[in-house]
């Protein structure tokens, strides 16, 4: 078997590995601790109900295009045996799970697309290593298991770019149709699809060139294609973008529920991107940096020697990667998920670096080079799987309650916004039913709708957000103490995290618990030094790779106090 065929066969193994990493553990932290911006679930719910969003309370509906949500809404509401806790928990997070499964499936396309993009410019070995690095990328692994559109968009964008490269070489209507469909999908999935305008125009502008000469008949197809692009973009915007107006001005603008100001584009995003790459994928970051240096050093020589077709391909790719990298590099609020569309190109550079190293060492040392290139990414991915498979801190807290609390007599108060995977008794749900914070939690909202069919329940009472929500600290303290005195709980469960550090009701609850009780247990998934950092769970995690290396579970730190009489 020659090298290209062997590389394609091995690509199947890489895709299988990526699937194993992504399809296992999709129920992580659900339904108690879903990912931030899980707005697809909100879109699905409102579309299924046929209801317009309340702009004041459901602004998240406008955050993403609705293409994915419209597809998921057709599946109907998830149902299960509502008297069994495990089944009810799964049903309450059913729409989120469906979104995660779709995200995981579509994310695999990026692994494949990376290989074929790399093959346009590099050897089969470099392309295979590039796809393996995407499969093992912590950044990609994190977002491919979330019910958000970022991983799906990265796949559609890479496939659209690949289709544009194919269309430029084979100027026929079928290749143009494929390119248009994939560009449409990328735009209809996420706002970032606008970055495909550059390569789309460049690919069509070069469509009529063969060996540097224009073919006027083929070029006409390019002109028609560019005209059709306006129609594709208009249709995607009109059909799948919620009709919230774009608000602009001298200081900034709002689009799709996201606010920004012009001062945010100060160039500080470049350093942030470098830090995010190091925090998430240090192995890929180092290899990509080496590959970039090698590519820049050899670019002039390559350009003179390369055939026109490859140079044209590079122009199309750079028309996408460079403007996109410039945009997120200028933006000081750049996030980890913004790097996903660039992963194929960073991985291609890393593959070039690996291929170069393999070419300069003796044959017996080549397997060592390949192993060394993958050992760091593989370690990060395996640590993620290990932590993901452990019971999270919310499940540990539920286990503690089940083991130590008399469910018929003893009352348990949990801090605002914290939800334990247990059935709450009807009287507890009635107290929380009209609380805005409680109604935002998937598990509580499910119990509000199905409480008559719930199974074995506990006297678990969420502390309503309105109890300690007064702006006056004295009034907030008075409200919390009055609520607790009336309820007279035996147990207090408090989330102690960055999210709750400045929430008055949680601070007051913890003070009351420490005054009237004793600490019975502290449940944490990583070292206490990270308690008030961004949580390990979903996004913008500082030092993610380092923290995963010694973490034991996902979820916030939780303190459990027992009341002393």
């Amino acid at each position: 078997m020659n090298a290209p065929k062997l590389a394609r066969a091995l690509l199947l193994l890489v895709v299988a590995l990526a699937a194993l990493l992504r399809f296992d553990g999709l129920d992580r932290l659900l339904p108690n601790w879903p990912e931030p911006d899980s707005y697809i679930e909100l879109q699905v719910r409102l579309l299924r109900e046929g209801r317009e969003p309340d702009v004041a309370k459901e602004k998240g509906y406008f955050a993403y295009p609705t293409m994915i949500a419209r597809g998921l809404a057709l599946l109907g509401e998830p149902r299960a045996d509502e008297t069994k806790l495990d089944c009810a928990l799964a049903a309450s997070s059913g729409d989120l799970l469906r979104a995660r499964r779709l995200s995981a499936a579509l994310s695999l396309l990026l692994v494949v697309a990376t290989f074929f993009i790399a093959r346009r410019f590099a050897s089969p070995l470099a392309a295979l290593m590039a796809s393996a690095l995407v499969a093992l990328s912590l950044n990609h692994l994190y977002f491919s298991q979330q019910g958000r559109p970022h991983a799906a968009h990265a796949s559609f964008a890479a496939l659209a770019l690949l289709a544009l490269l194919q269309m430029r070489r084979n100027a026929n209507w079928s290749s143009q149709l494929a390119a248009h469909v994939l560009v449409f999908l990328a735009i209809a999935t996420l706002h970032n699809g606008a970055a495909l305008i550059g390569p789309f125009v460049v690919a069509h502008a070069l469509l009529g060139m063969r060996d540097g000469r224009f073919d006027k008949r083929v070029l006409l197809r390019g002109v028609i294609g560019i005209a059709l692009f306006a129609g594709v973009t208009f249709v995607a915007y009109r059909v799948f973008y919620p009709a919230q107006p774009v608000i602009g001005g001298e200081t900034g603008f709002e689009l799709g529920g996201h606010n920004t100001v012009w001062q945010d584009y100060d160039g500080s995003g470049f350093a942030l991107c470098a830090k995010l790459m190091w925090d998430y994928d240090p192995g890929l970051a180092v290899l990509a940096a080496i590959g970039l240096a090698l590519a820049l050093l050899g670019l002039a020589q390559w350009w003179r020697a390369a055939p026109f077709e490859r140079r044209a391909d590079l122009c199309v790719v750079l028309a996408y990667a460079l403007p996109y990298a410039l945009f997120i590099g200028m933006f000081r609020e750049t996030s980890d998920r913004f790097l996903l569309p660039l992963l194929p190109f960073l991985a291609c550079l890393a593959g070039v670096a690996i291929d170069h190293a393999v070419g300069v060492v003796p044959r017996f040392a080549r397997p060592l080079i390949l192993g060394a290139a993958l050992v760091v990414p593989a370690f990060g991915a395996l640590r993620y799987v290990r932590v993901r498979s452990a019971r999270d801190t919310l499940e540990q807290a539920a286990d503690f309650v089940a083991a130590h609390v008399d469910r018929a007599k003893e009352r348990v108060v949990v801090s605002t916004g914290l939800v334990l995977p247990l059935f709450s008794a009807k009287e507890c749900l009635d107290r929380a039913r009209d609380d805005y914070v409680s109604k935002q939690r998937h598990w509580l909202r499910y119990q509000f709708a199905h409480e008559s069919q719930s199974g074995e329940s506990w006297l678990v009472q969420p502390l309503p957000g309105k109890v300690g929500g007064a702006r006056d600290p004295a009034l907030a303290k008075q409200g919390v103490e009055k609520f607790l005195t009336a309820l007279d709980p035996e147990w207090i469960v408090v989330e102690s995290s960055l999210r709750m550090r400045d929430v008055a009701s949680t601070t007051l609850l913890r003070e009351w618990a420490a005054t009237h009780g004793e600490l019975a247990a502290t449940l944490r998934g990583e070292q206490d030094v990270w308690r008030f950092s961004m949580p390990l769970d979903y996004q913008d995690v500082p030092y993610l790779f380092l923290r995963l290396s010694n973490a034991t579970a996902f979820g916030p730190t939780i303190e459990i106090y027992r009341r002393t009489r």
Side-chain angles (χ1 to χ4, degrees), residues 291-306 314 352:
L292 178 60
L294 292 172
L296 291 176
L297 288 173
L299 181 60
Q301 180 181 355
W302 179 88
W303 188 266
R304 288 192 299 268
L314 182 61
V352 168

Side-chain angles (χ1 to χ4, degrees), residues 124-156:
L125 175 63
L128 183 64
M129 295 300 289
S131 63
L133 288 169
V134 171
L136 294 172
S137 164
L138 272 179
N139 195 349
H140 190 249
L141 186 52
Y142 255 58
F143 286 97
S144 63
Q145 289 205 305
Q146 296 185 32
R148 295 197 275 180
H150 302 90
H153 167 75
S155 292
F156 287 139

Side-chain angles (χ1 to χ4, degrees), residues 5-51:
K5 289 184 178 179
L6 177 61
R8 292 192 182 196
L10 292 175
L11 175 62
L12 296 177
L13 294 179
V14 172
V15 173
L17 170 64
L20 286 174
L21 290 172
R22 285 155 179 77
F23 279 100
D24 181 56
L26 283 173
D27 59 348
R28 175 170 69 93
L29 288 165
L30 291 184
N32 312 297
W33 192 269
E35 53 266 38
D37 299 346
S38 54
Y39 297 137
I40 287 180
E41 187 271 342
L42 171 64
Q43 292 174 334
V44 169
R45 180 156 43 90
L46 296 186
L47 288 168
R48 190 180 289 139
E49 294 173 358
R51 177 168 67 84

